[in-house]
């Protein structure tokens, strides 16, 4: 059985879904899990939470495996924004009113940081280009007034991997600065070991909406060991669960471990879905190394098929200087006509997306080589219509 046959509801064999960097299809077992969540609620009513928490722990175990950190404390959230906000609310921005980030962060961080800047927090945005020196330049921007660094391990617009984040971690450690790494565009396409990457003291945020095929509502924040010292201002009543840390009289107490950064009541259906999909990945042998192998092949095939089109660089081009392993899981094309090309591709049945001048093609493990080359051939046809005489 081909992998595509496990995705009958999304009809991946019949559609050219090059949106794998944004929203991968869900395997059929995800639908079965959603029905199981309903049935558990109907059977047990409010007692369903014991069953639901088992699925939440399966998700945490999956995150630990992806990070190569089997003992990690992992807080869960419905989206990365709420987790980032809880993290930011735990910082002492009065005594360290400075945040360092880049000009290439995803909107959940970008918008929040921009609003904090309006409110008087100093926000330093380091230019992502050239990416080869980005970590070095971030590290140089960190000082003893910096509360935190917020940086992605793979940039969401260009798919470029950010090398040398261990240097940022070292700069943060020497100044008492927190480091938050957004690994959303890494997990599921590029293996990550926090110890090998020098990020054992980092906070790591990510989610399952993209490459992991877990769908919405499955985001997570990995807490470093010293998280026990922080008290997030934005805190839900779930943070009172479990073993509470000692707190002075008249102050709010927090749970130890991952519940310290917990929120409140949520829809557990997402965790049922995550647990089943994680098991499905294991059954299919879709381990991080295997997923990387597939990703390198598919992205390389797309790049080669694009080059074979021979389109003028003035219309559309790509980064040919960075080696293949310097990218995450999608191919970015640079074009002033990104939105027009995306719309034209969609009319021809090829679903991609665009961000400003970036036209993004995101493959996925269930797509065949023929589907990828067909999609790129359609790009050649629609691009020809935009050329003089087209």
């Amino acid at each position: 059985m081909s992998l595509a046959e496990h995705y009958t509801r999304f009809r991946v064999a019949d559609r050219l879904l090059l949106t794998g960097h944004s929203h991968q299809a869900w395997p059929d077992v995800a639908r079965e899990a959603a029905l199981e969540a309903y049935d558990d609620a109907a059977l047990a009513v409010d007692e369903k939470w014991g069953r639901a928490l088992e699925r939440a722990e399966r998700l945490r175990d999956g995150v630990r495996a992806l990070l190569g950190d089997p003992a990690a404390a992992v807080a869960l959230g419905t989206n990365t924004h709420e987790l980032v906000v809880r993290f930011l609310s735990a910082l002492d921005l009065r005594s360290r009113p400075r945040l360092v980030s880049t000009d290439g962060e995803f909107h959940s961080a970008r918008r929040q940081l921009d609003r904090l800047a309006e409110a008087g927090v100093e926000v330093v945005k380091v230019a992502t280009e050239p990416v080869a020196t980005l970590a070095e330049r971030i590290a140089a921007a960190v000082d003893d007034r910096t509360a935190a660094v917020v940086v992605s391990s793979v940039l969401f617009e260009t798919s470029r991997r950010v090398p040398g984040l261990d240097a940022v971690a070292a700069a943060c450690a020497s100044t008492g600065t927190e480091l938050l790494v957004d690994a959303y565009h890494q997990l599921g396409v590029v293996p990550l070991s926090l110890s090998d990457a020098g990020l054992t003291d980092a906070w790591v945020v990510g989610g399952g909406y993209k490459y992991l095929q877990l769908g919405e509502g499955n985001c997570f924040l990995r807490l470093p060991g010293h998280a026990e010292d922080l008290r997030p201002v934005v805190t839900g009543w779930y943070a009172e669960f479990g073993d509470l840390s000692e707190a002075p009289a008249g102050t709010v107490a927090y749970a130890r471990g991952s519940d310290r950064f917990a929120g409140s009541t949520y829809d557990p259906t997402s965790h049922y879905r995550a647990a089943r999909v994680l098991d499905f990945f294991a059954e299919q042998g879709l381990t991080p190394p295997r997923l990387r192998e597939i990703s390198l092949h598919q992205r390389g095939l797309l790049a080669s098929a694009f080059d074979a089109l021979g389109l003028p660089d003035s219309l559309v081009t790509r980064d040919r200087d960075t080696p293949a392993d310097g990218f995450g899981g999608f191919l970015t094309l640079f074009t002033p006509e990104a939105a027009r090309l995306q719309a034209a591709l969609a009319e021809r049945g090829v679903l991609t997306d665009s961000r400003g001048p970036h036209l993004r093609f995101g493959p996925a493990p269930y797509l065949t080589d023929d589907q990828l080359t067909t999609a790129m051939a359609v790009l050649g046809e629609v691009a020809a219509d935009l050329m003089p005489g087209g």
Side-chain angles (χ1 to χ4, degrees):
M1 178 181 287
S2 70
L3 196 60
E5 292 181 68
H6 295 287
Y7 298 79
T8 60
R9 293 282 174 168
F10 273 78
R11 298 186 297 110
V12 300
D14 306 320
R15 305 162 73 189
L16 297 177
L17 299 177
L18 274 296
T19 51
H21 56 292
S22 180
H23 184 309
Q24 291 203 7
W26 304 342
D28 295 338
V29 294
R31 183 174 184 272
E32 298 169 8
L35 294 174
E36 184 182 9
Y38 184 98
D39 289 343
D40 275 2
L43 176 67
V45 196
D46 202 39
E47 297 302 316
K48 70 183 180 185
W49 289 105
R51 302 176 184 218
L53 292 176
E54 293 176 1
R55 275 68 177 187
E57 193 56 31
R58 176 67 182 95
L59 174 55
R60 290 190 179 93
D61 283 341
V63 173
R64 293 175 183 122
L66 288 165
L67 299 178
D69 186 7
V74 179
L76 302 178
T78 57
N79 54 68
T80 56
H81 177 254
E82 69 171 89
L83 293 166
V84 170
V85 166
R86 288 182 218 161
F87 163 77
L88 292 171
S89 78
L91 303 176
D92 185 359
L93 292 174
R94 289 190 179 91
S95 61
R96 301 177 72 117
R98 190 170 188 267
L99 299 169
V100 174
S101 189
T102 80
D103 63 2
E105 299 308 306
F106 189 66
H107 311 305
S108 56
R110 173 198 57 79
R111 177 179 171 84
Q112 192 62 67
L113 293 176
D114 287 350
R115 183 63 184 90
L116 286 171
E118 285 185 351
V121 177
E122 180 185 359
V123 177
V124 177
K125 290 191 177 182
V126 179
T128 55
E129 296 295 336
V131 178
T133 63
L134 176 55
E136 177 185 348
R137 289 180 286 116
I138 293 173
V142 176
D143 60 23
D144 57 11
R145 294 179 61 253
T146 306
V149 171
V150 178
V151 62
S152 294
S153 60
V154 175
L155 300 174
F156 86 99
E157 291 180 317
T158 64
S159 192
R160 283 291 306 275
R161 296 176 63 184
V162 179
L165 287 179
D166 55 335
V168 179
C172 289
S174 67
T175 56
T177 301
E178 301 295 340
L179 171 60
L180 175 68
V181 176
D182 181 347
Y184 216 137
H185 276 284
Q186 177 164 0
L187 301 179
V189 283
V190 181
L192 175 60
S193 165
L194 295 185
S195 58
D196 291 349
L199 298 175
T200 54
D201 288 332
W203 306 71
V204 181
V205 68
Y209 187 66
K210 307 180 190 300
Y211 311 96
L212 300 176
Q213 301 179 16
L214 307 182
E216 301 90 341
N218 289 304
C219 291
F220 47 84
L221 177 67
R222 181 267 186 184
L223 281 57
H226 64 271
E228 295 286 341
D229 300 330
L230 278 69
R231 303 172 70 247
V233 174
V234 178
T235 181
W237 66 283
Y238 276 31
E240 295 177 337
F241 286 5
D243 182 19
L244 295 181
S245 302
E246 292 184 7
T251 62
V252 175
Y254 290 81
R256 292 184 171 88
S258 60
D259 284 339
R260 192 174 195 83
F261 281 75
S264 297
T265 309
Y266 64 98
D267 180 356
T269 304
S270 59
H271 293 169
Y272 276 78
R273 191 171 61 237
R276 290 291 291 274
V277 174
L278 287 167
D279 288 346
F280 169 78
F281 267 45
E283 293 161 4
Q284 298 299 318
L286 296 175
T287 62
R290 176 58 180 150
L291 289 169
R292 183 56 174 165
E293 180 184 2
I294 294 170
S295 175
L296 286 170
H297 168 75
Q298 291 187 324
R299 191 188 176 282
L301 183 62
L302 285 171
S304 296
F306 169 73
D307 290 347
L309 297 176
L311 298 172
D313 288 354
S314 58
L315 175 61
V316 56
T317 188
R318 71 177 182 89
D319 179 350
R320 295 184 175 89
D321 297 325
T322 303
D325 196 47
F327 294 99
F330 60 94
L331 174 68
T332 291
L333 303 180
F334 302 91
T335 169
E337 302 292 346
R340 289 181 65 187
L341 287 172
Q342 178 197 348
L345 285 166
E347 289 179 0
R348 298 284 298 274
V350 179
L351 300 186
T352 61
D353 77 354
S354 62
R355 303 279 187 179
H358 307 99
L359 179 63
R360 305 190 301 176
F361 284 73
Y366 43 74
L367 296 178
T368 66
D369 289 0
D370 286 345
Q371 286 177 299
L372 300 181
T373 54
T374 296
M376 201 53 72
V378 175
L379 173 65
E381 295 169 4
V382 299
D385 292 339
L386 300 182
M387 296 168 61

